[in-house]
Amino acid sequence: MLGLGYLLFYELTGERRYLRAAVATGDALAQHVRAGDTTHTPWPFRVNARTGAVLDGAQFGGLVVGPVRLLDELIEIGAGNTVAYKRARDLAWSWVLKHQLNPDSPAWNRWSGFYEDVPNNPRSINQASPTLTAHYLLTHSSPEALDPLWDEHASSLLRWVRTSFGRGPFAGAWGIDEQRAPGKPGCCSRVGLGSTTSRWAAVNALLYARTGDERARESAVSSLSYATYFATRDGRISCCGRRAGNTFWFSDGYGDYLRSFNWAMAALPELAPKRQNHLLGSSSVVQSVAYSRDSVAYRTFDAGSTEVLRLRFRPRRVTAGATLLERDDLKAEGYVIQPLGGGDYAIRIRHDRARRIRIS
């Protein structure tokens, strides 16, 4: 995950030291990947980074799609040893399909090992790994090529998270707890966490956007609304609700929580602020954006990507090198307009050959 952060920051800034850090991460992952089995993930969960020795017997665990996403992006931009990266990526993703997503495997739904601040326990499960695995499926450009059962797997992962970690429902909304070990009531809150709840809600929003599943949309909107109650009036974000101490966590409040709302608004533009112009999401890193009352201009790292915006005006002209055409879908380069009421519109744009886009 940190390696992907380096790579995205390179794509944002152009500073090659971040690219070098991402490539070094990819090299280490490619060098140490293994086929895995029911008791070994493609990478051990905890290792001594200097020696490679496995710590605490942690042969199983961790977020496997974290390395997979990094290797995907390195391959896409052609950085580093892409042959080795493809082998490692394919080996790791095949393991996920064969084991964690396969009901016939003893490792099915064994989502253990993610958080660094608890002792290693292979029997302890967490919500982060399955939720982010569903996120990977739902944000991939070709999920059907990645996994023929992508929609079924994404739906079942979100249901498993709700069943395993759901708190409530509170006025119809589910809060999502963080992790659970055998014999323990859960961790860390009887009301769920703002970060985990909003993340689960955001991935439900993505599921709706991909499949039209109305139940997923209802879950997304209700749990996002519930998650807003973790924000105080001065902008601080509570980790787990009101408690005696250690209430406000920077990583949970700002690294996760706010990002989840951004993901959700990109999937459901009708949730974004009314009568304002906002670039809500992109399949590429957006390097810059400029707003005016009746236009938006932005630049992406990739020449080919798709974006979604909410606008206070109906676009008359969209350019990406040349003028793009309004279409009924994005099977080809162009844009689609969706009225949102009150003079607002959602616009989805596909451009294949240009990095600078202007809407007016």
Side-chain angles (χ1 to χ4, degrees):
M1 296 174 75
L2 183 58
L4 181 62
Y6 287 138
L7 188 55
L8 296 179
F9 210 64
Y10 158 71
E11 294 180 4
L12 176 69
T13 66
E15 294 188 39
R16 298 191 69 83
R17 58 183 174 141
Y18 298 111
L19 177 61
R20 290 192 294 270
V23 167
T25 308
D27 289 345
L29 290 165
Q31 180 182 349
H32 293 284
V33 72
R34 58 192 182 185
D37 53 35
T38 59
T39 58
H40 295 74
T41 39
W43 295 275
F45 176 44
R46 285 178 171 159
V47 299
N48 182 313
R50 296 186 184 278
T51 67
V54 178
L55 301 177
D56 303 328
Q59 294 285 0
F60 188 101
L63 176 67
V64 177
V65 297
V68 167
R69 284 192 63 206
L70 167 63
L71 297 172
D72 273 350
E73 189 67 16
L74 287 167
I75 293 165
E76 182 174 338
I77 70 171
N81 186 347
T82 56
V83 173
Y85 300 160
K86 186 176 188 303
R87 174 186 173 274
R89 187 270 314 272
D90 292 348
L91 202 61
W93 180 245
S94 295
W95 181 88
V96 173
L97 292 174
K98 184 178 179 180
H99 292 291
Q100 284 184 312
L101 295 178
N102 180 10
D104 295 326
S105 170
W108 178 48
N109 277 340
R110 277 193 62 198
W111 303 102
S112 66
F114 183 83
Y115 295 98
E116 80 292 342
D117 59 344
V118 294
N120 181 56
N121 181 357
R123 298 178 62 204
S124 178
I125 56 174
N126 69 84
Q127 47 63 48
S129 293
T131 305
L132 290 172
T133 300
H135 178 268
Y136 177 65
L137 287 167
L138 294 169
T139 55
H140 197 275
S141 58
S142 301
E144 60 283 346
L146 186 70
D147 173 12
L149 300 176
W150 64 272
D151 50 349
E152 178 183 325
H153 284 150
S155 297
S156 63
L157 287 169
L158 293 171
R159 285 195 303 271
W160 184 85
V161 168
R162 185 198 65 204
T163 300
S164 301
F165 303 97
R167 298 290 193 171
F170 305 104
W174 288 99
I176 304 297
D177 204 359
E178 183 179 85
Q179 52 187 308
R180 191 183 76 219
K184 295 186 177 181
C187 176
C188 307
S189 170
R190 62 186 177 85
V191 297
L193 283 72
S195 61
T196 56
T197 299
S198 59
R199 185 194 303 119
W200 182 79
V203 180
N204 271 284
L206 289 166
L207 178 62
Y208 168 76
R210 280 281 195 176
T211 68
D213 185 338
E214 288 289 347
R215 290 174 300 179
R217 187 187 189 282
E218 181 180 345
S219 294
V221 174
S222 60
S223 287
L224 284 169
S225 299
Y226 174 69
T228 65
Y229 285 84
F230 290 80
T232 62
R233 293 188 178 187
D234 61 6
R236 292 180 297 166
I237 310 301
S238 164
C239 167
C240 312
R242 183 175 293 171
R243 57 186 187 178
N246 202 20
T247 301
F248 302 102
W249 288 26
F250 185 87
S251 57
D252 284 38
Y254 305 96
D256 280 335
Y257 178 87
L258 293 177
R259 177 180 65 173
S260 298
F261 284 90
N262 289 337
W263 285 350
M265 287 187 289
L268 300 174
E270 61 268 33
L271 302 184
K274 298 178 180 179
R275 306 306 296 148
Q276 298 179 28
N277 296 327
H278 289 284
L279 174 53
L280 300 174
S282 174
S283 61
S284 172
V285 165
V286 176
Q287 296 178 318
S288 64
V289 58
Y291 298 100
S292 68
R293 181 178 176 84
D294 296 315
S295 69
V296 179
Y298 61 91
R299 183 180 67 200
T300 59
F301 173 81
D302 296 305
S305 66
T306 58
E307 285 79 49
V308 57
L309 303 93
R310 178 167 180 154
L311 303 174
R312 63 184 306 280
F313 60 89
R314 193 185 196 286
R316 303 286 186 184
R317 188 165 187 252
V318 179
T319 59
T323 300
L324 300 182
L325 298 177
E326 183 178 353
R327 299 184 176 276
D328 295 327
D329 56 49
L330 293 184
K331 294 179 180 178
E333 194 173 40
Y335 63 95
V336 174
I337 295 177
Q338 173 193 357
L340 297 177
D344 286 3
Y345 297 86
I347 177 171
R348 292 174 172 84
I349 300 172
R350 171 180 167 179
H351 53 99
D352 297 340
R353 295 161 291 183
R355 297 173 58 215
R356 295 180 182 275
I357 294 84
R358 183 175 181 83
I359 307 160
S360 57

